[in-house]
Amino acid sequence: MALDTLATETPKESVLDLLKKERELAVQEHAAASAAIAASQAATASKVNATIAAMDSVKNEAKKLQDEIKAIEIAADSVSLENMYKLNGF
């Protein structure tokens, strides 16, 4: 119902009451939207934190594997040197 229609067919007190109710509803909608945005931001932050934790875990696992590879390479070099010494009579 348009306000001009309300003004001609409804007493002024009723129009003011309707406007107050409309304002209250707008405030409630704004509060609900703000709460929804906050919840969405919190969920996004949680997902970001989980992703960062997963990336850190992968990075740590990669570091462990690199360390193991280095240890294997050192052991292989040691075996090669030992075999070379044996072949040369040391």
Side-chain angles (χ1 to χ4, degrees), residues 5-89:
T5 304
L6 282 174
T8 59
E9 297 178 3
T10 311
K12 287 185 181 180
E13 295 80 29
S14 295
V15 172
L16 289 175
D17 289 341
L18 289 172
L19 290 172
K20 286 178 184 177
K21 287 180 184 177
E22 186 177 332
R23 182 184 178 281
E24 288 174 21
L25 287 174
V27 168
Q28 290 173 359
E29 287 175 358
H30 176 74
S34 293
I37 290 169
S40 175
Q41 288 174 335
T44 300
S46 177
K47 288 178 184 177
V48 167
N49 289 339
T51 301
I52 290 170
M55 290 170 59
D56 287 343
S57 177
V58 168
K59 188 168 94 175
N60 290 338
E61 190 62 30
K63 175 71 172 125
K64 287 179 188 176
L65 290 173
Q66 285 177 338
D67 291 346
E68 288 180 22
I69 290 169
K70 187 155 191 114
I72 290 169
E73 288 173 344
I74 290 170
D77 288 346
S78 175
V79 168
S80 293
L81 282 174
E82 190 174 316
N83 286 337
M84 193 169 59
Y85 288 142
K86 286 179 183 177
L87 288 173
N88 289 322

